[in-house]
Amino acid sequence: MYNKSNYQYLLKDLSTLKGVGAKTSQILKKKKINSIFDLLWKLPKSFTDRTLSSKVKDLKIGENQTITILPKKYLFPRVRNLPNRVVCSDDTGELDCVFFNSYEGYIKKILPLGKEVTINGKIGTFKNKYQITNPKYISEDSSLIKQKHNKYALSDGISEKVYNRIINQIIETLPILDEWHSRDILAKFDYISWNASIRELHKPENIGKYKKNFYQRLAYDEIFSTFLVNSEIRKKIKKNKKKNKILHLNKQNKIINKLDFSLTKDQLKSLGEINQDLCSSTKMFRLLQGDVGSGKTIVSLLAAYNTVNSGFQVAVMTPTEILARQHFNLAKKIFANELNIALISGKTEYKEKKDILSKLLQNKIDIIFGTHAIFQKKVIFKNLGLIIIDEQHKFGVSQRKRLSDKGGKDCDILLMTATPIPRTLTMTIFGDMDISIIKEKPKSRKSIKTYSKLENKIDDVIKFVQKEISLGNQIFWVCPLIEESKRIDHTSAIKKFEYLKKLFPKQVLLLHGKTTIDEKENILNSFLKNEFKILVSTTIIEVGIDFPNASVIIIENANKFGLSQLHQLRGRVGRGSKASSCILMFKSNLSENAKKRINILKESNDGFIISEADMVIRGFGDLLGFKQSGIKNFKLADPIHNKDLFLLAEKEIKRIEKSNEDIKRFKPLIKLYDRADIINDIA
Ligand code: ADP
Ligand code: MG
C-alpha cells in the first residue's frame, strides 16, 4: 500500500505504477531498473521548452512552438496518400493540423470544432500556409502543454510521453521521509529535505546544477550511506572479543637484526600498528596498503612470527601458487629452523597433503602457505590465530566480511594490497577495515626509468634488449589483449612471440590466457631460474611475484592501459638492486592529453600520486580495483568533484562512532541506498 511516509514504497516493483505494463517493466529491468527508486537516478539529459506560446502571424518555420488555436473545419479527402487536415486559426491567421495515418474519429476527439486547444509541434508550411504535422501534444488545458518537458535517455521501446508520465507519477507520489541527518549536516545543504531534493533534481531547469544544495545533499546521502554501512561492519567485527596475543618483541627484533636490509620507517610503523592489534582483545581487521615493492611481505611475516610465538598458527593465502612459494621460501630463509612451515599446492602429493592436514590439526605446523585451497573445509587448524591475505584487491566488502567470520573468534585478519588509491576512495572501498599505509620505498631501490617509443622504432628497442641480455638481464614483453572483453584474445602476444623467437632463438617464453595453470607455473619457474631471457605475455602475471633478475619491461600499445595499471605492470621490474627500465610503446603519435598522462608516469614512481592524477584525468570509474571493489558505483557522488563531501561524511561517521548514537534513524537511508544483505541485521 502507498504510504506517504514509508520508504518501502520506493523499493516496489515498477509494475505497481499506473501505466507500466509487463512490456515496459521488462524493458526497464533489462537496464537494471527494477524498482521505483532505481528510476529516480535516471536524470533528464535536456528538455524542450513549451512554455512560450506564439500567435499564428509570429510562428517560426522549422521550430518547435506552442500555440493556442480554434479548430474550424475538417478536411477528410478519403483518398489514399492524402492526409487528413483540420483548419484552425487564431485572431492573427490560419494554421492546418495535418494527420497521416490517423482515424477521423481520433482527430475529431482531440480537435473538436469550436473548442480552443493548445498545441505543440514543429512548424512547417504547405502551399504558403502554416501547418503542424502529426502534432503530439494537444490539450484543452493549456497549462498541460505549456511546460518544460524533460528529455531522458530513453530505452528502445519506451516513448518520451510514456516515460515522462511514469516519472511524473513517481515524483507526485514521492514519500516524505523522516529526516535522517543531523541539523549540523543539514545546515550545509540549506536544510533541504530528501523529498524536495529529488523534486529539484528532476526539474528541467536544474539539469547539470551539480553545485546546488539539492544535488550536493543527494550526493552526500550516497557517500554517507556507504560509509555508514562500512562503519557498522567494522563495529560488528570489533565487538568480537578475542584472546589477545602476547608479544615477544625481543624475538621479533632478533629476526629484524638478521635481515640483510633495515626496515623503513613506514614498515616499522605498520608493524607496530599490527602488533598492537594482535595483543589487543578485539579482533584485528586490517589492510596493509602499499605500493608495489614497498616491502609488505616482510612486515606480514614478522606479524606471523609474533603470532606463532604467542602459541597460535598462521595461514597465508595468495592468489597464485608461485607467489605462495616465494613467500614460503622467504619464511624458510628468515625463520631458519625455528618454525614449522608448510606449503600446500596443487602439486603436493596426496600423502604429503594428508600429512600436512594432520599436522595442522595437531598444531605441529606453525605457518601454512597456499592459494584459496588452504580454506577448504577439510583444512582444519588446531589454533588459528592470524590469516594473512596477499594481493586481494579484488575482494569486495561482502567477501571480506565472510572472511572475518572465518577462522574463529580468536583469529586476526590482515589483508595486503598493492593498489594505492586516492584518500577519498579509501574510505569508500576499505572503510570497513583499519588501514596501515607504507608510502616510503626501501632506500636501496633504484628508480625505474620510463621511456616512450613509437612502434615503428622497434629496431631501437631490439638493440636495447640485445644489450640488456648481454649484461645478463631479463626482459618482460607485455602485449595487451586487443579486446578487453575477450579473455581468449591473445593473438598479439603470439605474434610477438613468433617474431622475437626468430631474433632470440631459445631465449623466449610465451604466456597467455589459454596457458593452463600448470604450464604457467612451469614457465614462470623457468623464467625465474633465468633459463630464458624474454617472457612475452598478456597481462596475466600477478604483481606480487619477485623477479630479481628482470630489469626491463616493454609494454606494447600502452595507451590501452590506465596509469595505475601501467604503474603496477612497471612494478614487476626494479625489485632487485639493479637499475631498471620501462619502455612504453605506442602505435601512433600521442595526443596532448595522452602525453600529459605519460609524463605523470615518467616523473613519478609513487602509486598514490599516480592514481590521484589518473583519477582526475580519467574519472574514478576506470581506476584499477574500483570496478571490482564490490561497491556499486555512485550515481551522483564523484570523488574528484565532491571531495569535500567525502571528508564531511568521514567526519560525521567518526562523530557518530564516538558518541555511540543510535543509528535507527538511518534505516531508510541504508535500505534505500545499499540494500546489501550484509547489513540486513543492523538498523
Ligand atoms: P610488496 O610490498 O610489493 O609486496 P615485497 O614485500 O615483495 O613488496 O618486497 C619487494 C622486495 O623488496 C623484496 O625483495 C624484499 O626483500 C625487499 N625489501 C623489503 N623491505 C626492504 C627494505 N626495507 N630495504 C630493502 N629491501 C627491502
Ligand atoms: Mg607483495
Side-chain angles (χ1 to χ4, degrees):
M1 259 310 287
Y2 174 57
N3 175 336
K4 223 23 191 162
S5 67
N6 198 339
Y7 70 89
Q8 275 159 6
Y9 163 72
L10 291 166
L11 294 178
K12 289 229 155 95
D13 200 90
L14 284 166
S15 58
T16 50
L17 291 171
K18 255 185 266 154
V20 180
K23 190 178 139 237
T24 308
S25 98
Q26 210 54 39
I27 293 171
L28 291 170
K29 271 191 182 138
K30 267 199 198 127
K31 300 257 162 186
K32 295 221 169 78
I33 299 171
N34 295 306
S35 66
I36 296 174
F37 185 79
D38 292 338
L39 212 55
L40 293 178
W41 311 105
K42 274 200 68 162
L43 301 185
K45 299 275 178 250
S46 61
F47 63 90
T48 329
D49 192 346
R50 300 198 180 96
T51 52
L52 299 172
S53 60
S54 171
K55 290 287 186 186
V56 170
K57 72 171 171 45
D58 300 324
L59 285 174
K60 290 197 186 82
I61 294 163
E63 297 207 351
N64 211 310
Q65 291 193 281
T66 302
I67 185 162
T68 300
I69 39 162
L70 192 70
K72 290 196 311 200
K73 196 161 92 189
Y74 298 127
L75 297 174
F76 296 152
R78 294 171 217 275
V79 177
R80 256 173 81 102
N81 296 332
L82 275 189
N84 291 330
R85 289 181 173 269
V86 183
V87 181
C88 311
S89 71
D90 66 4
D91 50 3
T92 68
E94 275 194 356
L95 165 97
D96 283 2
C97 289
V98 183
F99 294 86
F100 289 90
N101 308 320
S102 289
Y103 294 113
E104 291 166 14
Y106 167 73
I107 295 170
K108 283 182 177 163
K109 196 172 140 210
I110 56 169
L111 291 175
L113 296 182
K115 251 197 187 150
E116 213 168 57
V117 292
T118 301
I119 180 168
N120 176 278
K122 199 171 160 188
I123 308 299
T125 52
F126 185 69
K127 290 192 176 159
N128 265 332
K129 199 172 167 195
Y130 291 116
Q131 68 174 28
I132 296 181
T133 308
N134 291 337
K136 261 193 258 160
Y137 296 90
I138 302 174
S139 175
E140 287 174 42
D141 179 357
S142 70
S143 69
L144 288 182
I145 300 293
K146 290 185 180 178
Q147 287 175 348
K148 288 177 180 170
H149 288 257
N150 280 335
K151 284 203 163 143
Y152 293 87
L154 293 174
S155 313
D156 286 342
I158 300 181
S159 72
E160 191 175 310
K161 217 164 154 181
V162 168
Y163 195 86
N164 273 313
R165 205 188 306 139
I166 298 173
I167 273 287
N168 290 340
Q169 195 184 146
I170 293 175
I171 301 286
E172 271 160 34
T173 51
L174 209 59
I176 299 165
L177 306 175
D178 291 337
E179 183 54 60
W180 44 69
H181 290 307
S182 64
R183 295 288 297 168
D184 285 350
I185 292 294
L186 266 191
K188 312 251 183 213
F189 309 110
D190 293 335
Y191 301 97
I192 191 168
S193 70
W194 182 85
N195 178 297
S197 300
I198 296 280
R199 285 168 193 277
E200 291 296 319
L201 189 68
H202 281 269
K203 279 189 185 158
E205 60 268 28
N206 279 337
I207 292 172
K209 301 252 165 86
Y210 309 123
K211 294 270 175 232
K212 282 282 177 71
N213 64 336
F214 65 89
Y215 200 98
Q216 297 271 310
R217 188 230 142 102
L218 293 172
Y220 180 79
D221 279 337
E222 264 184 322
I223 301 163
F224 179 79
S225 71
T226 303
F227 285 16
L228 185 65
V229 169
N230 282 341
S231 155
E232 282 308 299
I233 294 172
R234 197 142 61 114
K235 255 197 252 164
K236 234 181 155 181
I237 291 166
K238 286 268 157 76
K239 260 194 210 140
N240 293 313
K241 289 290 165 225
K242 70 158 201 241
K243 206 162 117 195
N244 63 310
K245 274 127 206 160
I246 293 154
L247 294 182
H248 298 274
L249 287 181
N250 51 339
K251 278 188 162 182
Q252 170 199 285
N253 293 339
K254 253 191 214 157
I255 299 280
I256 293 178
N257 289 334
K258 270 198 290 182
L259 295 174
D260 44 20
F261 49 76
S262 48
L263 294 177
T264 63
K265 247 195 259 140
D266 281 353
Q267 281 175 314
L268 287 169
K269 185 166 163 266
S270 298
L271 180 60
E273 288 163 355
I274 294 166
N275 280 341
Q276 208 162 35
D277 284 355
L278 291 176
C279 59
S280 91
S281 58
T282 52
K283 199 166 167 146
M284 168 164 79
F285 194 46
R286 185 172 286 279
L287 177 77
L288 181 56
Q289 193 185 17
D291 209 348
V292 269
S294 59
K296 297 182 290 293
T297 320
I298 185 66
V299 173
S300 70
L301 288 181
L302 288 165
Y305 182 70
N306 290 334
T307 303
V308 171
N309 285 333
S310 187
F312 289 91
Q313 292 168 293
V314 178
V316 180
M317 183 180 122
T318 57
T320 56
E321 285 189 14
I322 199 154
L323 193 53
R325 182 165 294 118
Q326 282 204 336
H327 291 353
F328 170 74
N329 287 336
L330 179 62
K332 248 190 343 202
K333 200 177 111 192
I334 59 177
F335 303 134
N337 298 319
E338 245 188 282
L339 305 185
N340 296 312
I341 58 179
L343 172 77
I344 284 195
S345 85
K347 283 200 215 81
T348 315
E349 306 249 322
Y350 175 74
K351 232 181 101 197
E352 198 192 337
K353 210 176 245 169
K354 226 174 124 184
D355 183 49
I356 291 176
L357 290 182
S358 88
K359 278 181 172 163
L360 277 174
L361 198 54
Q362 299 164 54
N363 203 2
K364 283 184 183 158
I365 288 176
D366 300 316
I367 310 180
I368 180 129
F369 294 84
T371 59
H372 60 278
I374 59 173
F375 285 131
Q376 284 168 347
K377 272 212 187 89
K378 58 182 181 207
V379 185
I380 305 162
F381 295 84
K382 169 81 191 211
N383 196 14
L384 187 60
L386 172 64
I387 297 175
I388 296 169
I389 300 198
D390 194 13
E391 294 300 349
Q392 280 301 359
H393 40 272
K394 287 186 185 125
F395 270 27
V397 176
S398 51
Q399 271 167 305
R400 291 202 293 267
K401 169 84 170 45
R402 240 175 286 141
L403 190 71
S404 85
D405 298 337
K406 216 165 220 164
K409 75 179 221 339
D410 289 331
C411 186
D412 289 307
I413 312 263
L414 179 67
L415 255 80
M416 298 196 280
T417 171
T419 314
I421 49 169
R423 190 172 130 76
T424 45
L425 284 189
T426 305
M427 275 287 279
T428 315
I429 301 180
F430 297 114
D432 54 330
M433 313 188 78
D434 291 312
I435 296 173
S436 293
I437 300 179
I438 306 184
K439 280 216 158 146
E440 169 195 26
K441 295 222 174 117
K443 295 228 166 37
S444 60
R445 188 119 320 136
K446 295 266 182 352
S447 70
I448 307 169
K449 277 240 159 69
T450 300
Y451 308 91
S452 44
K453 271 266 172 215
L454 277 180
E455 225 173 61
N456 56 19
K457 292 276 168 57
I458 191 161
D459 289 348
D460 297 353
V461 178
I462 295 293
K463 266 187 214 136
F464 183 77
V465 168
Q466 275 162 341
K467 199 185 92 209
E468 287 291 317
I469 291 177
S470 73
L471 292 171
N473 298 331
Q474 288 175 288
I475 291 104
F476 284 108
W477 198 301
V478 182
C479 304
L481 296 172
I482 294 167
E483 272 178 64
E484 281 293 338
S485 56
K486 287 191 198 153
R487 273 258 156 258
I488 47 162
D489 184 2
H490 45 250
T491 46
S492 60
I494 294 174
K495 264 194 207 144
K496 194 55 61 177
F497 171 68
E498 299 293 340
Y499 169 83
L500 291 168
K501 213 166 59 173
K502 280 183 201 131
L503 299 172
F504 303 95
K506 298 212 175 108
Q507 300 192 334
V508 194
L509 288 166
L510 171 66
L511 205 61
H512 56 60
K514 266 198 178 164
T515 317
T516 64
I517 294 177
D518 279 353
E519 277 175 290
K520 185 174 159 187
E521 289 272 310
N522 288 337
I523 291 169
L524 287 177
N525 270 324
S526 65
F527 191 63
L528 263 175
K529 285 191 214 140
N530 204 354
E531 292 166 354
F532 291 81
K533 296 301 173 188
I534 305 175
L535 177 60
V536 178
S537 75
T538 50
T539 56
I540 56 172
I541 313 169
E542 285 71 17
V543 263
I545 308 169
D546 243 348
F547 295 93
N549 207 43
S551 64
V552 180
I553 184 162
I554 294 158
I555 304 172
E556 282 201 50
N557 215 346
N559 45 347
K560 281 255 167 192
F561 300 102
L563 286 191
S564 301
Q565 203 180 1
L566 288 174
H567 174 67
Q568 287 217 329
L569 286 171
R570 175 169 74 172
R572 277 182 206 165
V573 300
R575 291 187 154 230
S577 52
K578 286 181 202 164
S580 311
S581 17
C582 167
I583 302 175
L584 305 172
M585 299 195 62
F586 297 91
K587 279 197 186 308
S588 56
N589 282 324
L590 291 172
S591 68
E592 280 312 306
N593 206 20
K595 266 187 204 153
K596 218 159 80 187
R597 288 189 343 120
I598 298 307
N599 277 339
I600 295 169
L601 211 59
K602 285 182 181 174
E603 279 159 22
S604 175
N605 200 24
D606 180 334
F608 287 95
I609 290 177
I610 290 168
S611 73
E612 186 97 40
D614 198 17
M615 182 169 88
V616 170
I617 294 176
R618 297 203 311 161
F620 73 98
D622 287 331
L623 265 195
L624 191 69
F626 190 78
K627 270 187 204 152
Q628 312 101 311
S629 70
I631 294 185
K632 64 189 184 326
N633 278 337
F634 290 125
K635 291 162 191 112
L636 307 183
D638 179 319
I640 303 159
H641 297 109
N642 305 126
K643 196 170 173 177
D644 53 335
L645 298 179
F646 280 79
L647 299 180
L648 181 66
E650 184 180 4
K651 217 169 117 197
E652 177 70 353
I653 290 290
K654 290 216 170 109
R655 187 192 66 74
I656 291 172
E657 278 178 1
K658 232 193 200 148
S659 67
N660 245 331
E661 254 177 53
D662 191 350
I663 63 150
K664 261 206 198 78
R665 65 193 159 102
F666 296 116
K667 183 172 173 173
L669 175 76
I670 292 175
K671 294 282 180 193
L672 288 175
Y673 281 81
D674 277 281
R675 283 176 278 164
D677 297 334
I678 346 170
I679 44 89
N680 263 347
D681 34 353
I682 64 168

